[in-house]
């Protein structure tokens, strides 16, 4: 099993690693450790670069989880490194940090809407510094959207701490409203649940990357609704 450091520290930008397996068909490599997020929960996978200790570099255009391992998809024009190649694995940090800010902003939005309107999430996605979330509202109006935006930015300005924890399955599912999506997307066989807590506002099961405090998000603008 390869070690994925992004789940313990989202601010790690690089790590030294060794190529332990190569998949020519998928044009991908497996490293013994990585900082790349493999995608999931609406957050796309990281991109970045592998740089060989003895020369050469390989552009990582995506990452995907297979079981407990994270496979790194290499740009099709780059020849794959061989097994036992020593590399530095480095993220496209600007892109990653934008996703961290966006993902945390969506959790603030979700927390505000759940707290004040008890509306569940039914879908969503994100791009760097933009995202969409679907909620179960009977009606929606420009006035309501403006009120939501005001309350979300008040929580951002409150500079709330964002904490990451891993709980035993039994402990996690004893927490009321831990799953905010209308459908529980957590696999049945998991024994541990990773949670993201915006202290004083929101606590959810989540596997993505986030900033450390809400003030790092920046101003949130709700640009439209359907």
């Amino acid at each position: 099993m390869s070690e994925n450091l992004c789940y313990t520290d989202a601010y790690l930008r690089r790590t030294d690693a060794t190529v332990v397996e190569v998949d020519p068909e998928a044009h991908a490599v497996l490293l013994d450790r990585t900082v790349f997020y493999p995608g999931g929960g609406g957050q796309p996978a990281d991109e970045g670069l592998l740089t060989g200790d003895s020369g050469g570099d390989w552009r990582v255009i995506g990452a995907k989880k297979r079981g407990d391992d994270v496979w790194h998809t290499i740009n099709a024009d780059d020849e794959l490194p061989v097994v036992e190649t020593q590399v530095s694995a480095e993220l496209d940090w600007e892109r990653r940090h934008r996703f961290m800010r966006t993902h945390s902003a969506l959790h603030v939005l979700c927390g505000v809407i759940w707290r004040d309107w008890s509306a569940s999430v039914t879908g969503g996605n994100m791009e760097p510094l933009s995202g969409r979330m679907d909620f179960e509202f009977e009606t929606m109006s420009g006035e309501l959207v403006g009120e939501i935006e005001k309350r979300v930015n008040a929580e951002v300005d409150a500079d709330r701490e964002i904490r990451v924890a891993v709980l035993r399955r039994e402990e996690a599912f004893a927490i009321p409203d831990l799953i905010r999506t209308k459908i529980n997307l957590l696999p049945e066989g998991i024994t541990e649940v990773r949670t993201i807590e915006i202290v004083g506002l929101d606590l959810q099961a989540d596997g993505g990357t986030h900033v450390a405090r809400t003030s790092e998000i920046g101003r949130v603008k709700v640009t439209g609704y359907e």
Side-chain angles (χ1 to χ4, degrees), residues 153-172:
N153 281 298
E155 297 299 336
V156 170
D157 293 340
D159 192 29
R160 294 185 182 277
E161 183 184 1
I162 301 178
R163 297 175 180 170
V164 179
V166 177
L167 306 178
R168 298 191 311 276
R169 179 186 180 90
E170 299 78 13
E171 182 182 0

Side-chain angles (χ1 to χ4, degrees), residues 71-181:
W71 284 81
H72 304 71
T73 305
I74 304 299
N75 179 42
D77 293 333
D78 296 341
E79 186 176 343
L80 292 173
V82 298
V83 171
E84 295 188 2
T85 298
Q86 306 294 308
V87 299
S88 170
E90 185 168 4
L91 300 175
D92 178 340
W93 173 247
E94 183 177 354
R95 180 177 180 274
R96 155 68 85 78
H97 190 245
R98 287 179 173 180
F99 273 124
M100 289 164 61
R101 292 170 59 199
T102 303
H103 202 163
S104 295
L106 293 176
H107 275 237
V108 172
L109 173 64
C110 183
V112 166
I113 289 180
W114 180 260
R115 180 193 66 193
D116 297 345
W117 287 276
S118 300
S120 298
V121 179
T122 58
N125 60 30
M126 71 184 84
E127 296 295 332
L129 299 186
S130 67
R132 188 200 87 244
M133 292 201 84
D134 305 325
F135 295 95
E136 281 195 317
F137 277 101
E138 290 186 8
T139 59
M140 182 62 71
S141 67
E143 182 179 0
L144 177 56
V145 166
E147 183 62 26
I148 291 171
E149 181 181 297
K150 182 177 74 173
R151 296 188 191 189
V152 166
N153 281 298
E155 297 299 336
V156 170
D157 293 340
D159 192 29
R160 294 185 182 277
E161 183 184 1
I162 301 178
R163 297 175 180 170
V164 179
V166 177
L167 306 178
R168 298 191 311 276
R169 179 186 180 90
E170 299 78 13
E171 182 182 0
F173 280 90
I175 299 172
D177 307 317
L178 183 69
I179 310 300
R180 295 292 175 78
T181 53

Side-chain angles (χ1 to χ4, degrees), residues 1-5 7 15-36 38 50 58-60 62-74 79-89:
M1 180 179 69
S2 57
E3 181 182 10
N4 195 338
L5 304 173
Y7 293 122
T15 185
D16 294 328
T18 302
V19 177
V20 295
E21 196 171 339
V22 175
D23 183 346
E25 185 174 344
H27 209 69
V29 298
L30 177 65
L31 307 177
D32 64 339
R33 61 170 51 193
T34 187
V35 292
F36 283 74
L50 305 182
W58 302 267
R59 183 183 166 205
V60 178
K64 187 174 183 180
K65 199 167 185 180
R66 301 186 200 169
D68 292 323
D69 294 327
V70 176
W71 284 81
H72 304 71
T73 305
I74 304 299
E79 186 176 343
L80 292 173
V82 298
V83 171
E84 295 188 2
T85 298
Q86 306 294 308
V87 299
S88 170

Side-chain angles (χ1 to χ4, degrees), residues 52-63:
D53 288 358
S54 301
D57 54 56
W58 302 267
R59 183 183 166 205
V60 178
I61 59 173

